[in-house]
Protein backbone atom coordinates (compact mmCIF):
# COMPACT_ATOMS: atom_id res chain seq x y z
CA UNK A 1 0.00 0.00 0.00
CA UNK A 2 1.63 3.24 -1.12
CA UNK A 3 1.17 6.49 0.69
CA UNK A 4 -0.61 9.22 -1.24
CA UNK A 5 1.83 11.76 0.20
CA UNK A 6 5.08 10.94 -1.55
CA UNK A 7 7.46 13.84 -2.26
CA UNK A 8 10.20 13.39 -4.83
CA UNK A 9 13.04 13.17 -2.30
CA UNK A 10 11.65 12.16 1.09
CA UNK A 11 15.07 11.59 2.66
CA UNK A 12 16.31 15.08 1.81
CA UNK A 13 13.00 16.72 2.73
CA UNK A 14 12.86 14.93 6.06
CA UNK A 15 16.49 15.83 6.81
CA UNK A 16 15.92 19.48 5.95
CA UNK A 17 12.75 19.65 8.03
CA UNK A 18 14.12 18.00 11.17
CA UNK A 19 17.77 19.07 10.88
CA UNK A 20 16.93 22.61 9.89
CA UNK A 21 14.27 22.88 12.57
CA UNK A 22 16.54 21.52 15.30
CA UNK A 23 19.43 23.75 14.16
CA UNK A 24 17.17 26.79 14.15
CA UNK A 25 15.83 25.96 17.62
CA UNK A 26 19.38 25.49 18.87
CA UNK A 27 20.31 28.92 17.54
CA UNK A 28 17.21 30.43 19.15
CA UNK A 29 18.14 28.79 22.46
CA UNK A 30 21.60 30.41 22.41
CA UNK A 31 20.08 33.75 21.40
CA UNK A 32 17.50 33.44 24.17
CA UNK A 33 20.25 32.83 26.71
CA UNK A 34 22.04 35.94 25.51
CA UNK A 35 18.92 38.11 25.56
CA UNK A 36 18.04 36.99 29.11
CA UNK A 37 21.53 37.91 30.38
CA UNK A 38 22.64 34.31 30.79
CA UNK A 39 25.98 33.10 29.47
CA UNK A 40 25.16 31.92 25.92
CA UNK A 41 28.47 30.07 25.63
CA UNK A 42 28.52 28.45 29.06
CA UNK A 43 27.02 25.33 30.59
CA UNK A 44 23.39 26.20 29.81
CA UNK A 45 24.17 25.95 26.10
CA UNK A 46 24.52 22.19 26.56
CA UNK A 47 20.76 21.92 27.08
CA UNK A 48 20.39 22.39 23.32
CA UNK A 49 21.82 18.88 22.91
CA UNK A 50 18.32 17.60 23.73
CA UNK A 51 17.38 18.82 20.26
CA UNK A 52 19.38 15.90 18.90
CA UNK A 53 16.23 13.92 19.53
CA UNK A 54 15.33 15.24 16.08
CA UNK A 55 17.51 12.44 14.67
CA UNK A 56 15.44 9.45 15.84
CA UNK A 57 12.18 11.39 15.41
CA UNK A 58 13.15 12.19 11.80
CA UNK A 59 14.06 8.57 11.18
CA UNK A 60 10.73 7.48 12.61
CA UNK A 61 8.94 10.06 10.45
CA UNK A 62 10.68 8.81 7.30
CA UNK A 63 9.00 5.44 7.72
CA UNK A 64 5.62 6.88 6.69
CA UNK A 65 6.93 7.48 3.16
CA UNK A 66 8.05 3.89 2.76
CA UNK A 67 5.13 1.89 4.15
CA UNK A 68 4.83 -1.05 4.66
CA UNK A 69 8.38 -2.32 3.96
CA UNK A 70 10.18 0.64 5.64
CA UNK A 71 12.99 2.86 4.33
CA UNK A 72 15.75 0.30 4.73
CA UNK A 73 19.03 0.65 6.59
CA UNK A 74 20.75 2.90 4.05
CA UNK A 75 17.96 5.50 3.96
CA UNK A 76 17.30 5.36 7.71
CA UNK A 77 20.94 5.90 8.65
CA UNK A 78 21.38 8.41 5.81
CA UNK A 79 18.51 10.61 6.97
CA UNK A 80 19.91 10.50 10.51
CA UNK A 81 23.32 11.62 9.29
CA UNK A 82 21.84 14.38 7.14
CA UNK A 83 19.72 15.63 10.04
CA UNK A 84 22.86 15.65 12.17
CA UNK A 85 24.86 17.59 9.58
CA UNK A 86 22.15 20.20 8.99
CA UNK A 87 21.60 20.69 12.71
CA UNK A 88 25.30 20.89 13.57
CA UNK A 89 26.04 23.39 10.79
CA UNK A 90 23.10 25.67 11.63
CA UNK A 91 23.81 25.51 15.34
CA UNK A 92 27.52 26.24 14.91
CA UNK A 93 26.73 29.10 12.52
CA UNK A 94 24.39 30.62 15.08
CA UNK A 95 27.02 30.35 17.83
CA UNK A 96 29.57 32.01 15.55
CA UNK A 97 27.14 34.74 14.54
CA UNK A 98 26.19 35.46 18.13
CA UNK A 99 29.84 35.51 19.19
CA UNK A 100 30.56 38.07 16.47
CA UNK A 101 27.52 40.21 17.34
CA UNK A 102 27.96 39.97 21.13
CA UNK A 103 31.55 41.09 20.83
CA UNK A 104 34.71 40.56 22.84
CA UNK A 105 33.19 41.75 26.11
CA UNK A 106 30.73 38.84 26.16
CA UNK A 107 33.50 36.40 25.28
CA UNK A 108 35.59 37.72 28.18
CA UNK A 109 32.65 37.32 30.58
CA UNK A 110 32.10 33.78 29.32
CA UNK A 111 35.80 32.97 29.69
CA UNK A 112 35.84 34.31 33.24
CA UNK A 113 32.76 32.28 34.19
CA UNK A 114 34.14 29.07 32.68
CA UNK A 115 37.52 29.57 34.36
CA UNK A 116 35.73 30.13 37.68
CA UNK A 117 33.83 26.85 37.20
CA UNK A 118 37.07 25.03 36.32
CA UNK A 119 38.80 26.49 39.38
CA UNK A 120 35.94 25.21 41.51
CA UNK A 121 36.68 21.67 40.32
CA UNK A 122 40.43 21.90 40.88
CA UNK A 123 40.28 19.49 43.83
CA UNK A 124 38.68 16.85 41.59
CA UNK A 125 41.45 17.26 39.02
CA UNK A 126 44.19 16.98 41.63
CA UNK A 127 42.82 13.67 42.98
CA UNK A 128 43.37 12.02 39.60
CA UNK A 129 46.65 10.72 38.27
CA UNK A 130 48.10 13.44 36.03
CA UNK A 131 45.29 15.74 37.16
CA UNK A 132 47.48 18.77 37.78
CA UNK A 133 48.68 18.83 34.16
CA UNK A 134 45.12 18.23 32.94
CA UNK A 135 43.85 21.10 35.11
CA UNK A 136 46.53 23.48 33.82
CA UNK A 137 45.76 22.45 30.24
CA UNK A 138 42.04 23.11 30.82
CA UNK A 139 42.70 26.58 32.24
CA UNK A 140 45.09 27.37 29.37
CA UNK A 141 42.51 26.22 26.82
CA UNK A 142 39.82 28.37 28.42
CA UNK A 143 42.08 31.42 28.36
CA UNK A 144 42.51 30.99 24.59
CA UNK A 145 38.76 30.80 23.98
CA UNK A 146 37.60 32.66 20.87
CA UNK A 147 34.76 32.67 18.33
CA UNK A 148 36.27 29.92 16.23
CA UNK A 149 36.90 27.56 19.15
CA UNK A 150 33.32 28.05 20.41
CA UNK A 151 31.98 27.31 16.95
CA UNK A 152 34.16 24.24 16.49
CA UNK A 153 33.23 22.92 19.93
CA UNK A 154 29.52 23.31 19.24
CA UNK A 155 29.77 21.64 15.83
CA UNK A 156 31.85 18.69 17.03
CA UNK A 157 29.65 17.94 20.05
CA UNK A 158 26.44 17.97 18.03
CA UNK A 159 27.95 16.09 15.11
CA UNK A 160 29.46 13.28 17.18
CA UNK A 161 26.37 12.79 19.32
CA UNK A 162 24.18 12.92 16.23
CA UNK A 163 26.24 10.23 14.52
CA UNK A 164 26.01 8.11 17.67
CA UNK A 165 22.22 8.43 17.53
CA UNK A 166 21.95 7.95 13.76
CA UNK A 167 23.34 4.45 13.53
CA UNK A 168 21.26 2.70 16.21
CA UNK A 169 18.23 4.78 15.23
CA UNK A 170 18.68 3.75 11.60
CA UNK A 171 18.93 0.11 12.58
CA UNK A 172 15.80 0.36 14.72
CA UNK A 173 13.72 2.36 12.22
CA UNK A 174 14.81 0.53 9.03
CA UNK A 175 11.55 -1.44 8.88
Amino acid sequence: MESSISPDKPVLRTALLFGGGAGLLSGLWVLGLYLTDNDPFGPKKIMALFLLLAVPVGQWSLRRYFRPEGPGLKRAVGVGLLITIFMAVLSAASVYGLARVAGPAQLERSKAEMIKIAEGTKALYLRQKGGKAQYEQTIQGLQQLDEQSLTTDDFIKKFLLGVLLSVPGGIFFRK
Side-chain angles (χ1 to χ4, degrees):
M1 186 182 276
E2 237 177 61
S3 176
S4 62
I5 303 172
S6 180
D8 290 347
K9 298 180 181 178
V11 171
L12 186 58
R13 286 180 187 240
T14 302
L16 284 171
L17 176 68
F18 286 92
L24 184 64
L25 287 173
S26 181
L28 289 173
W29 173 253
V30 175
L31 180 63
L33 288 173
Y34 176 72
L35 294 175
T36 57
D37 292 327
N38 288 294
D39 183 11
F41 309 118
K44 290 181 183 178
K45 182 181 78 165
I46 293 174
M47 291 178 66
L49 289 177
F50 286 115
L51 294 170
L52 281 167
L53 289 175
V55 172
V57 172
Q59 290 171 323
W60 174 76
S61 175
L62 183 68
R63 288 192 331 178
R64 73 181 170 155
Y65 296 112
F66 296 102
R67 286 188 186 151
E69 69 276 354
L73 184 62
K74 183 178 164 184
R75 285 186 184 128
V77 172
V79 79
L81 293 174
L82 283 173
I83 290 169
T84 298
I85 290 168
F86 291 144
M87 180 189 177
V89 167
L90 283 172
S91 178
S94 65
V95 167
Y96 181 77
L98 182 63
R100 297 287 295 184
V101 170
Q106 178 62 49
L107 284 176
E108 290 302 318
R109 283 193 301 274
S110 293
K111 272 192 225 181
E113 189 173 319
M114 287 186 243
I115 289 172
K116 185 177 177 183
I117 291 170
E119 288 172 348
T121 62
K122 184 177 183 177
L124 294 173
Y125 278 103
L126 296 179
R127 282 189 232 158
Q128 299 173 8
K129 185 177 180 180
K132 184 176 181 185
Q134 189 178 12
Y135 171 77
E136 290 170 359
Q137 184 180 12
T138 300
I139 296 296
Q140 184 182 18
L142 289 173
Q143 289 171 344
Q144 297 173 354
L145 197 68
D146 63 353
E147 298 149 349
Q148 186 176 4
S149 62
L150 286 171
T151 303
T152 304
D153 178 64
D154 187 71
F155 178 82
I156 289 173
K157 283 180 181 172
K158 289 195 171 87
F159 182 76
L160 290 178
L161 287 173
V163 168
L164 288 175
L165 286 173
S166 294
V167 175
I171 292 169
F172 186 76
F173 292 116
R174 72 184 184 268
K175 292 185 180 182

Coordinates of all heavy atoms in Angstrom, one line a residue, residues 121-172:
T121 N 36.5 23.1 40.4 CA 36.7 21.7 40.3 C 38.1 21.3 40.4 O 38.5 20.1 40.1 CB 36.1 21.1 39.0 OG1 36.8 21.7 37.9 CG2 34.6 21.4 38.9
K122 N 39.0 22.2 40.8 CA 40.4 21.9 40.9 C 40.7 20.7 41.8 O 41.6 19.9 41.5 CB 41.2 23.1 41.4 CG 42.7 23.0 41.4 CD 43.4 24.2 41.8 CE 44.9 24.0 41.7 NZ 45.6 25.3 42.1
A123 N 40.0 20.6 42.9 CA 40.3 19.5 43.8 C 40.0 18.1 43.2 O 40.7 17.2 43.4 CB 39.4 19.6 45.1
L124 N 39.0 18.1 42.3 CA 38.7 16.8 41.6 C 39.8 16.5 40.6 O 40.1 15.3 40.4 CB 37.4 17.0 40.8 CG 36.1 17.1 41.7 CD1 34.9 17.4 40.8 CD2 35.9 15.9 42.5
Y125 N 40.3 17.5 39.9 CA 41.4 17.3 39.0 C 42.7 16.7 39.8 O 43.3 15.8 39.3 CB 41.9 18.6 38.3 CG 41.0 18.9 37.1 CD1 40.1 19.9 37.2 CD2 41.2 18.3 35.9 CE1 39.3 20.3 36.1 CE2 40.5 18.7 34.8 CZ 39.5 19.7 34.9 OH 38.8 20.1 33.8
L126 N 43.0 17.3 40.9 CA 44.2 17.0 41.6 C 44.1 15.6 42.2 O 45.2 15.0 42.5 CB 44.5 18.0 42.7 CG 44.8 19.4 42.2 CD1 45.0 20.4 43.3 CD2 46.0 19.4 41.2
R127 N 42.9 15.0 42.4 CA 42.8 13.7 43.0 C 43.2 12.6 41.9 O 43.4 11.5 42.3 CB 41.4 13.4 43.5 CG 41.1 14.1 44.8 CD 39.8 13.6 45.3 NE 39.0 14.8 45.7 CZ 37.7 14.9 45.8 NH1 37.0 13.8 45.5 NH2 37.2 16.0 46.1
Q128 N 43.1 13.0 40.7 CA 43.4 12.0 39.6 C 44.8 12.0 39.3 O 45.6 13.0 39.4 CB 42.6 12.4 38.3 CG 41.1 12.4 38.5 CD 40.4 13.0 37.3 OE1 41.0 13.2 36.3 NE2 39.1 13.2 37.4
K129 N 45.3 10.8 38.7 CA 46.6 10.7 38.3 C 46.8 11.6 37.1 O 46.1 11.6 36.1 CB 46.9 9.3 37.9 CG 48.4 9.0 37.5 CD 48.6 7.6 37.2 CE 50.0 7.4 36.8 NZ 50.3 6.0 36.5
G130 N 47.8 12.5 37.1 CA 48.1 13.4 36.0 C 47.1 14.6 36.0 O 47.0 15.3 35.0
G131 N 46.4 14.7 37.1 CA 45.3 15.7 37.2 C 45.8 17.2 37.1 O 45.1 18.1 36.6
K132 N 47.0 17.4 37.7 CA 47.5 18.8 37.8 C 47.8 19.3 36.4 O 47.4 20.4 36.0 CB 48.7 18.8 38.6 CG 49.3 20.3 38.8 CD 50.5 20.3 39.7 CE 50.9 21.8 39.8 NZ 52.1 21.9 40.5
A133 N 48.4 18.4 35.6 CA 48.7 18.8 34.2 C 47.4 19.0 33.4 O 47.3 19.9 32.6 CB 49.6 17.8 33.5
Q134 N 46.4 18.1 33.6 CA 45.1 18.2 32.9 C 44.4 19.5 33.3 O 43.8 20.2 32.5 CB 44.3 17.0 33.3 CG 43.0 16.9 32.5 CD 42.2 15.7 32.8 OE1 42.5 15.0 33.8 NE2 41.2 15.4 32.0
Y135 N 44.5 19.9 34.6 CA 43.9 21.1 35.1 C 44.5 22.3 34.4 O 43.8 23.2 34.0 CB 44.0 21.2 36.6 CG 43.5 22.5 37.2 CD1 42.2 22.8 37.3 CD2 44.5 23.5 37.6 CE1 41.8 24.1 37.8 CE2 44.1 24.7 38.1 CZ 42.7 25.0 38.2 OH 42.4 26.2 38.7
E136 N 45.8 22.3 34.4 CA 46.5 23.5 33.8 C 46.2 23.6 32.3 O 46.1 24.7 31.8 CB 48.0 23.3 34.1 CG 48.4 23.6 35.5 CD 49.9 23.2 35.8 OE1 50.6 22.7 34.9 OE2 50.2 23.3 37.0
Q137 N 46.1 22.5 31.7 CA 45.8 22.4 30.2 C 44.3 23.0 30.0 O 44.1 23.7 29.1 CB 45.9 21.0 29.7 CG 45.7 20.9 28.2 CD 45.8 19.5 27.7 OE1 45.9 18.6 28.5 NE2 45.8 19.4 26.4
T138 N 43.4 22.6 30.9 CA 42.0 23.1 30.8 C 42.0 24.6 31.0 O 41.3 25.3 30.2 CB 41.2 22.4 31.9 OG1 41.2 21.0 31.7 CG2 39.7 22.9 31.8
I139 N 42.7 25.1 32.0 CA 42.7 26.6 32.2 C 43.3 27.3 31.1 O 42.8 28.3 30.6 CB 43.5 26.9 33.5 CG1 42.7 26.3 34.8 CG2 43.7 28.4 33.7 CD1 41.3 26.9 35.0
Q140 N 44.4 26.8 30.5 CA 45.1 27.4 29.4 C 44.2 27.4 28.2 O 44.1 28.4 27.4 CB 46.4 26.6 29.1 CG 47.2 27.3 27.9 CD 48.4 26.5 27.6 OE1 48.6 25.3 28.0 NE2 49.4 27.1 26.9
G141 N 43.5 26.3 27.9 CA 42.5 26.2 26.8 C 41.4 27.2 27.0 O 41.0 27.8 26.0
L142 N 40.9 27.4 28.2 CA 39.8 28.4 28.4 C 40.3 29.8 28.2 O 39.5 30.7 27.8 CB 39.2 28.2 29.8 CG 38.4 26.9 30.0 CD1 38.0 26.8 31.5 CD2 37.2 27.0 29.2
Q143 N 41.5 30.1 28.5 CA 42.1 31.4 28.4 C 42.2 31.8 26.9 O 42.3 32.9 26.5 CB 43.4 31.6 29.1 CG 43.2 31.6 30.6 CD 44.5 31.5 31.3 OE1 45.6 31.1 30.8 NE2 44.5 31.8 32.6
Q144 N 42.4 30.8 26.0 CA 42.5 31.0 24.6 C 41.2 30.9 23.8 O 41.2 30.9 22.6 CB 43.5 30.0 24.0 CG 44.9 30.1 24.6 CD 45.8 29.0 24.1 OE1 45.4 28.1 23.4 NE2 47.1 29.1 24.5
L145 N 40.1 30.9 24.6 CA 38.8 30.8 24.0 C 38.5 32.0 23.0 O 38.7 33.1 23.4 CB 37.7 30.8 25.1 CG 36.3 30.3 24.8 CD1 36.4 28.8 24.5 CD2 35.4 30.5 26.0
D146 N 38.0 31.6 21.8 CA 37.6 32.7 20.9 C 36.4 32.2 20.1 O 35.9 31.1 20.3 CB 38.8 33.0 19.9 CG 39.3 31.9 19.1 OD1 38.8 30.7 19.3 OD2 40.1 32.1 18.2
E147 N 36.0 33.0 19.1 CA 34.8 32.7 18.3 C 34.9 31.3 17.6 O 34.0 30.5 17.6 CB 34.5 33.8 17.3 CG 34.2 35.1 17.9 CD 34.7 36.3 17.1 OE1 35.4 36.0 16.1 OE2 34.3 37.4 17.4
Q148 N 36.1 31.1 17.0 CA 36.3 29.9 16.2 C 36.3 28.7 17.1 O 35.7 27.6 16.7 CB 37.6 30.0 15.5 CG 37.8 28.8 14.5 CD 39.0 29.0 13.7 OE1 39.8 29.9 13.9 NE2 39.3 28.0 12.8
S149 N 36.9 28.7 18.3 CA 36.9 27.6 19.2 C 35.5 27.3 19.7 O 35.1 26.1 19.8 CB 37.9 27.7 20.3 OG 37.6 28.8 21.1
L150 N 34.7 28.3 20.0 CA 33.3 28.0 20.4 C 32.5 27.4 19.3 O 31.7 26.5 19.6 CB 32.7 29.4 20.8 CG 33.1 30.0 22.1 CD1 32.5 31.4 22.2 CD2 32.6 29.2 23.3
T151 N 32.7 27.9 18.1 CA 32.0 27.3 16.9 C 32.4 25.9 16.7 O 31.5 25.0 16.5 CB 32.3 28.2 15.7 OG1 31.9 29.5 16.0 CG2 31.5 27.7 14.5
T152 N 33.7 25.6 16.7 CA 34.2 24.2 16.5 C 33.7 23.3 17.6 O 33.2 22.2 17.3 CB 35.7 24.2 16.5 OG1 36.1 25.2 15.4 CG2 36.3 22.9 16.2
D153 N 33.7 23.7 18.8 CA 33.2 22.9 19.9 C 31.8 22.6 19.8 O 31.4 21.4 19.9 CB 33.5 23.7 21.2 CG 33.0 22.9 22.4 OD1 33.5 21.8 22.7 OD2 32.0 23.4 23.1
D154 N 31.0 23.5 19.4 CA 29.5 23.3 19.2 C 29.3 22.3 18.1 O 28.5 21.4 18.2 CB 28.8 24.6 19.0 CG 27.3 24.5 18.9 OD1 26.7 24.3 20.0 OD2 26.7 24.6 17.8
F155 N 29.9 22.5 17.0 CA 29.8 21.6 15.8 C 30.2 20.2 16.2 O 29.4 19.3 15.9 CB 30.6 22.1 14.6 CG 30.4 21.2 13.4 CD1 29.3 21.3 12.6 CD2 31.4 20.3 13.2 CE1 29.2 20.5 11.5 CE2 31.3 19.4 12.1 CZ 30.2 19.6 11.2
I156 N 31.3 20.0 16.8 CA 31.9 18.7 17.0 C 31.0 17.9 18.0 O 30.7 16.8 17.8 CB 33.3 18.8 17.5 CG1 34.2 19.1 16.4 CG2 33.7 17.4 18.2 CD1 35.7 19.4 16.8
K157 N 30.5 18.6 19.1 CA 29.7 17.9 20.0 C 28.4 17.5 19.4 O 27.9 16.3 19.6 CB 29.3 18.9 21.2 CG 30.5 19.0 22.2 CD 30.1 19.9 23.3 CE 31.3 20.1 24.3 NZ 31.1 21.1 25.3
K158 N 27.7 18.3 18.7 CA 26.4 18.0 18.0 C 26.6 16.9 16.9 O 25.8 16.0 16.8 CB 25.7 19.2 17.5 CG 25.2 20.1 18.7 CD 24.3 21.1 18.2 CE 23.6 21.7 19.5 NZ 24.4 22.9 20.0
F159 N 27.7 17.0 16.2 CA 28.0 16.1 15.1 C 28.2 14.7 15.7 O 27.6 13.7 15.2 CB 29.1 16.6 14.2 CG 29.4 15.7 13.1 CD1 28.6 15.6 12.0 CD2 30.4 14.8 13.1 CE1 28.8 14.8 10.9 CE2 30.7 13.9 12.1 CZ 29.9 13.9 10.9
L160 N 29.1 14.6 16.6 CA 29.5 13.3 17.2 C 28.3 12.6 17.9 O 28.0 11.4 17.7 CB 30.7 13.4 18.1 CG 32.0 13.7 17.5 CD1 33.1 13.8 18.5 CD2 32.4 12.6 16.5
L161 N 27.5 13.4 18.7 CA 26.4 12.8 19.3 C 25.3 12.4 18.3 O 24.6 11.4 18.5 CB 25.8 13.7 20.4 CG 26.7 13.9 21.6 CD1 26.1 15.0 22.5 CD2 26.7 12.6 22.4
G162 N 25.1 13.2 17.3 CA 24.2 12.9 16.2 C 24.5 11.7 15.5 O 23.7 10.8 15.2
V163 N 25.8 11.5 15.2 CA 26.2 10.2 14.5 C 26.0 9.0 15.4 O 25.5 8.0 15.0 CB 27.7 10.3 14.1 CG1 28.3 9.0 13.7 CG2 27.9 11.3 13.0
L164 N 26.3 9.2 16.7 CA 26.0 8.1 17.7 C 24.5 7.8 17.8 O 24.2 6.6 18.0 CB 26.5 8.5 19.1 CG 28.1 8.5 19.2 CD1 28.5 9.0 20.6 CD2 28.6 7.1 18.9
L165 N 23.7 8.7 17.5 CA 22.2 8.4 17.5 C 21.7 7.9 16.2 O 20.8 7.2 16.1 CB 21.4 9.7 17.9 CG 21.4 10.1 19.3 CD1 20.8 11.5 19.5 CD2 20.8 9.1 20.2
S166 N 22.4 8.3 15.1 CA 21.9 7.9 13.8 C 22.0 6.5 13.5 O 21.1 5.9 12.9 CB 22.8 8.7 12.7 OG 22.5 10.1 12.8
V167 N 23.1 5.9 13.9 CA 23.3 4.5 13.5 C 22.4 3.5 14.3 O 21.6 2.8 13.6 CB 24.8 4.0 13.8 CG1 25.0 2.6 13.5 CG2 25.7 4.9 12.9
P168 N 22.3 3.6 15.6 CA 21.3 2.7 16.2 C 19.8 3.1 15.8 O 19.0 2.2 15.7 CB 21.5 2.9 17.7 CG 22.4 4.0 17.9 CD 23.0 4.3 16.6
G169 N 19.6 4.4 15.7 CA 18.2 4.8 15.2 C 17.9 4.2 13.8 O 16.8 3.8 13.6
G170 N 18.9 4.3 12.9 CA 18.7 3.7 11.6 C 18.4 2.3 11.6 O 17.6 1.8 10.8
I171 N 19.1 1.6 12.5 CA 18.9 0.1 12.6 C 17.5 -0.2 13.1 O 16.8 -1.0 12.6 CB 20.0 -0.5 13.5 CG1 21.4 -0.4 12.8 CG2 19.6 -2.0 13.8 CD1 22.6 -0.8 13.7
F172 N 17.1 0.6 14.1 CA 15.8 0.4 14.7 C 14.7 0.7 13.8 O 13.7 0.0 13.7 CB 15.7 1.1 16.0 CG 14.5 0.9 16.8 CD1 14.3 -0.3 17.5 CD2 13.4 1.8 16.8 CE1 13.1 -0.5 18.2 CE2 12.2 1.5 17.5 CZ 12.1 0.4 18.2

